[in-house]
Amino acid sequence: MITPPDELRKRYQKSFKLQEKFHTLVPGGSHTYSKGEDQQPHLSPKLVSHAKGALCWDVDENEYIDWMMGNRTFVLGHAYDAVDNAVIDTLRKGTNFSRPGILEYEIAEYLVDLWPVAEMVKFGKNGSDVTHAAVKLARAYTGRDFIAKCAEHPFFSTHDWFISTTPCNNGIPAEIKDYALNFKYNDIKSVEALFDQHHDKIACFILEPVKDVEPQDDFLQKLKDLCDKNGAILIFDEMISGIRFDLLGAHHKWGVYPHLATFGKCVSNGYSCSVLAGQRDIMELGGIFHDKERTFLLSQTHASETVGLAAIRATLEECQKVNATQHIWDTGKAFKDGMNALAQQEGVSNFIGAAGFDCNPVFSFKDKSGAPSLPLMTLFIQECLARGIMASWLTVTYAHKQEHLDRTFEVFGEVMKSLKPIIENDEVSEALVGDPIKPVMRTYNKCLQRQCGLVDKSAPKASCCTE
Ligand SMILES: Cc1ncc(COP(=O)(O)O)c(C=O)c1O
């Protein structure tokens, strides 16, 4: 049996009360769209009060095992002592100075020594700062305007060059998106086709070096070779893959080094720091000693703030000390194997499972036709939350240990058991209170026909409607 809605409303009483006011104060009621109300079941906690290790607590004081980890901003776990202590020591000595701080020098030297891809580095605060900087640098270096992005990779930046290409591109001049081209992962022919069509116009290729599938047939090396041959810059976005796949970047594991790489998210274990790293002759364009036209690379008031810089060094040192990456690979494998075995045992393996790389597992929820099912995903998340498991997506960290896996599997088993008859009787949507989770990148909040929000501005009216 799934949890009665009244019981859940009682469980999240304070959450519901605060959320109502919060939405009158902040548009979207969140500072990241992926943490918003439309990304969670209606009957769910709305606000988190604090977190430690692999656990977090909502404002109603319900405890959760947190498998999401603040949009993947953690590799060691919440409030990790070695990182927090380094930050506290640093912040007591001042957080921003009138000339570059000594930490900017020290951390730059540390990263250039650590990461083979880094001949030079430049710091930002968010991932978007550095992917945007990489694209701008590539355009400046090549004198070309077009960018080629991997079609299967869902997010690179909050900046116009990327958001213009999504269905949520209101407020951006229409012609911006005309500069963006798409290629497909593991499809070198799609790369060749772009060079054939626009060979001296493409400034860069940007992609996550790996996401959910292995690079096949030497794809990454062939892509690099084609970029070199055609004078384009190869940018690997390591926001999610960096550290998790390999401390030196996922690209290092596959032995293919891009011209530029971008790191952020978990690299500073929850503190704000992002890094553009790459080849000296390209990076130098943002410098002040060359004779070329100046390039306004990254120049941010808060980029030199000491807190994020102290955090990045403490995080990477601790990751090396405890071999966090290996722990993440092992624990992710145990998660995937355990979840899939449970689904098999409970007779729901056609509908619920885990896939992807061991270090970066992803959920899979399908309906009876085998199509991805957001209603099933929403109901599963709702029932896990009701039992103290927060898992809309999966971010395994060093803080996740066997005890967390054990409790999670206990809950997954119960939830799968209760959902099985609902799935078999086609009652998932009826069982759900409120809307299913919606894609972030949609044109309207709700579409008029099906309330799904999927209708694209440029598509014929209600093209997604099946009724
Ligand atoms: C692969 C990737 N690149 C870039 C970004 C942008 O990072 P940020 O939100 O820190 O600006 C994200 C954010 O989700 C991402 O997943």
Side-chain angles (χ1 to χ4, degrees), residues 280-298:
R280 181 177 307 283
D281 58 331
I282 307 172
M283 297 285 285
E284 280 277 25
L285 260 196
I288 55 172
F289 296 125
H290 60 75
D291 299 327
K292 301 180 184 127
E293 194 177 334
R294 276 165 59 73
T295 304
F296 196 80
L297 185 50
L298 269 167

Side-chain angles (χ1 to χ4, degrees), residues 126-128 131 155-157 208 237 239-240 265:
N126 292 284
S128 301
T131 48
F155 202 85
F156 291 111
S157 172
E208 298 180 65
D237 179 341
M239 227 58 71
I240 292 173
K265 288 201 187 268

